[in-house]
Amino acid sequence: MSNFKKGVILMLAAIALFTLTLLFSSGSHPKRDFFGNLGQMEIVFSKGEYVVNPQFPYSGEYQGRVAVPIKYPLALAAIGLLFGAGLLILENRKEL
């Protein structure tokens, strides 16, 4: 398989990962900007149970929650786009 095909496939996979990450994420707030939401949004796999601390009634935590912050899949998508573009550039340099 040529570097051109590998680069295109890697870039398409990165774009798909970026799109799916934004579709399945939750926790956005309309008053925050994009980067403010980026730090707060996550992909939730298991919701868990919210438990309140009896000593501090205004604080609590989720127990049994499984979630991934979206900054990690988005960073992986950005790296995939860069590597795919690099493979395309290397393929073009071979032709010269």
Side-chain angles (χ1 to χ4, degrees):
M1 186 183 284
S2 68
N3 280 343
F4 181 77
K5 288 182 182 179
K6 289 179 187 176
V8 169
I9 290 171
L10 189 57
M11 289 178 76
L12 289 174
I15 291 170
L17 177 64
F18 178 80
T19 305
L20 290 173
T21 298
L22 290 179
L23 286 176
F24 292 114
S25 62
S26 62
S28 66
H29 194 272
K31 292 193 177 188
R32 284 189 291 223
D33 61 348
F34 178 74
F35 292 108
N37 277 328
L38 190 64
Q40 300 296 323
M41 293 172 66
E42 55 191 9
I43 301 170
V44 179
F45 295 109
S46 174
K47 210 163 193 162
E49 181 182 344
Y50 189 75
V51 179
V52 177
N53 188 350
Q55 293 178 342
F56 305 104
Y58 295 111
S59 66
E61 63 182 354
Y62 282 100
Q63 291 183 348
R65 180 182 175 108
V66 179
V68 176
I70 68 164
K71 57 186 169 186
Y72 300 121
L74 290 181
L76 187 63
I79 290 169
L81 279 172
L82 290 174
F83 275 122
L87 288 174
L88 292 178
I89 290 170
L90 285 176
E91 183 67 26
N92 288 339
R93 292 188 101 192
K94 286 182 181 178
E95 293 175 0
L96 297 176

